[in-house]
Amino acid sequence: MFIASFITGPFQANCYLVAREPGSDCVVVDPGMGAEEFLPEALKTHHLRPVAVALTHGHIDHVGSARQVADEYGIPVLCPRDDRHLLTEPMAALSDFARPLIEQWYGSTTLREPADVLDVEPFSHHEYAELDLEFLHAPGHTPGCSMIRLIDPEYGPIVMSGDVVFAGSVGRTDMPGGDPAQMSRSLSEVVWPLDDSTHLLPGHGGATTMAQERVSNPYLNRP
């Protein structure tokens, strides 16, 4: 499996390109604010062809270029169903401090939905670019918040953990749509059971492993 990444926007979110190998079809995971500016060069560098956009959740720093990317390449957007409304109403999940930034960036706080959106059901599988994308529903940060798991024959499980779990931390729950009780359940019922060999690729910051987080992340506790 081949994975490339770059950082997008004022919130420094990670956008991932996932493919079987360079020169093949790929899935664009979490194209955040401004991702459309960097994506063409990344695709050219690795000779990749985008066939789908996949979103871990609906916060603007992860979906801010989903429409531009999907409509430019004529590909679908896979969005957790409970976060679909955030594609057009980003302020529904943001505190008021973000309003001036959103208005400056987009000229409005109401956005246009991508032409082709697929509602992703919790724990469903979707095959694109010869990859099996499993959406592990882990609400708490947002109602639809998910992690995307792939199994690589050589490296084992790879989870793009979005804003559920980071290296040494977990997603915040104090913004609209956040729920601390749900987050606690997600951490114990969805994150904790992940195999120690799982490689975690978070929505912000560097990569880690489940083995490392199990012993060092203060927010993860045995159920």
Side-chain angles (χ1 to χ4, degrees):
M1 189 176 299
F2 175 80
I3 300 176
S5 66
F6 55 90
I7 297 172
T8 67
F11 299 104
Q12 299 286 282
N14 294 326
C15 176
Y16 295 100
L17 307 180
V18 188
R20 277 294 180 192
E21 59 187 3
S24 64
D25 292 343
C26 74
V27 176
V28 182
V29 179
D30 284 1
M33 300 168 70
E36 76 276 14
E37 299 179 21
F38 304 99
L39 181 61
E41 184 62 28
L43 295 172
K44 180 180 178 180
T45 297
H46 303 294
H47 308 286
L48 298 172
R49 300 176 297 273
V51 296
V53 169
L55 306 176
T56 59
H57 65 294
H59 276 156
I60 193 69
D61 55 329
H62 294 260
V63 310
S65 294
R67 179 185 63 79
Q68 292 91 330
V69 171
D71 291 0
E72 170 69 21
Y73 294 97
I75 58 179
V77 174
L78 283 64
C79 181
R81 68 176 187 198
D82 291 334
D83 280 6
R84 180 169 178 169
H85 65 290
L86 300 179
L87 295 175
T88 55
E89 298 292 339
M91 288 307 302
L94 296 174
S95 302
D96 283 340
F97 82 89
R99 185 176 300 276
L101 173 62
I102 302 305
E103 289 180 338
Q104 180 182 17
W105 196 280
Y106 297 102
S108 173
T109 58
T110 301
L111 307 181
R112 182 158 54 91
E113 188 174 87
D116 185 2
V117 180
L118 173 65
D119 286 329
V120 171
E121 300 293 330
F123 300 98
S124 60
H125 291 253
H126 302 267
E127 186 168 329
Y128 288 89
E130 299 185 28
L131 300 169
D132 178 25
L133 310 175
E134 181 184 8
F135 283 74
L136 306 177
H137 188 220
H141 182 63
T142 67
C145 210
S146 300
M147 304 187 296
I148 301 174
R149 178 164 60 187
L150 307 100
I151 306 297
D152 182 80
E154 182 177 358
Y155 293 102
I158 298 171
V159 169
M160 284 160 283
S161 57
D163 284 3
V164 178
V165 59
F166 310 112
S169 188
V170 298
R172 59 190 294 182
T173 60
D174 59 335
M175 292 190 291
D179 187 321
Q182 278 194 328
M183 175 61 87
S184 180
R185 286 193 296 272
S186 293
L187 294 175
S188 63
E189 297 175 9
V190 183
V191 176
W192 185 267
L194 294 174
D195 191 272
D196 276 356
S197 64
T198 301
H199 297 267
L200 299 175
L201 304 180
H204 302 268
T208 184
T209 65
M210 191 60 206
Q212 175 64 29
E213 296 311 299
R214 202 183 302 281
V215 298
S216 64
N217 192 319
Y219 300 94
L220 287 182
N221 296 301
R222 182 185 296 275

